[in-house]
Amino acid sequence: MSTVFSPTPASLGLNASSSDHRVSLRSRLDGVRGLSTLLMAAAVAALVVLAERLMGDWAEQHQFLAWMALWLLVLGGTAAVSAPASALARRARQAVQDSTAAIAEARAEVRLWQAARADHRVMADCVQARQRDLDDAAGLAATWGRFPEHLDDGRGNATHLRHC
C-alpha cells in the first residue's frame, strides 16, 4: 500500500516513527517558550492599555497617528520585553524544578524513615550513614580519607597481610 493511502496516516500519530517526533517535540517545548510568550503578551498588553489611557483624547482627533503609535508601541514593547520575559521564564522553570526535586527528596526521606522504623536492619544502616556523615563533618575523613575501610580490599583470604 502506498503512503498516500495508508490506513494509519502519520497525522494521526499511529506510526512507529511518530513517537520519535513526539519525543523531539516534547524536548523542544519545555515550557519556557510558552511561559515567556505569555509574560511578554501580558507586559505588552499592559503597555497598550496604559498608552491608550494616556492618549485617549488626542487619539480621537488623530486616529491614524494613534494607530501608528500603538503599533510602534506593540512592536517596540515586544522587542524590549522578549529577553527579560525569557530570562524570567527560565528562572521560574528552574525554581519549579528545584522545588519539585526538594519535595521528591523529602518524600523519599519520609519513606526511608518509615522503612527504618519498621525494620531494624534499615535503621542500623541509617544510623551508620549518619555517623559517617558526622565523622566527615568533624574532619576525621579528611585526615584518613577512606583508608581504614579499604585497607583490606583485594587481599582475599590472605590473613598474613591483615596487620590491622
Side-chain angles (χ1 to χ4, degrees), residues 53-77:
R53 287 192 182 204
L54 290 177
M55 60 182 201
D57 295 333
W58 177 79
E60 290 177 8
Q61 297 168 357
H62 307 285
Q63 288 182 351
F64 181 71
L65 289 176
W67 180 79
M68 292 284 289
L70 284 177
W71 270 108
L72 285 174
L73 182 70
V74 166
L75 295 175

Side-chain angles (χ1 to χ4, degrees), residues 1 11 17 27 35 42 50 66 78-79 83 88 101 119 122 130 135 138 142-143:
M1 209 173 228
S11 63
S17 64
S27 66
L35 183 58
L50 180 67
T78 302
L88 182 64
D119 189 1
V122 178
R130 180 165 169 79
D135 290 346
T143 56

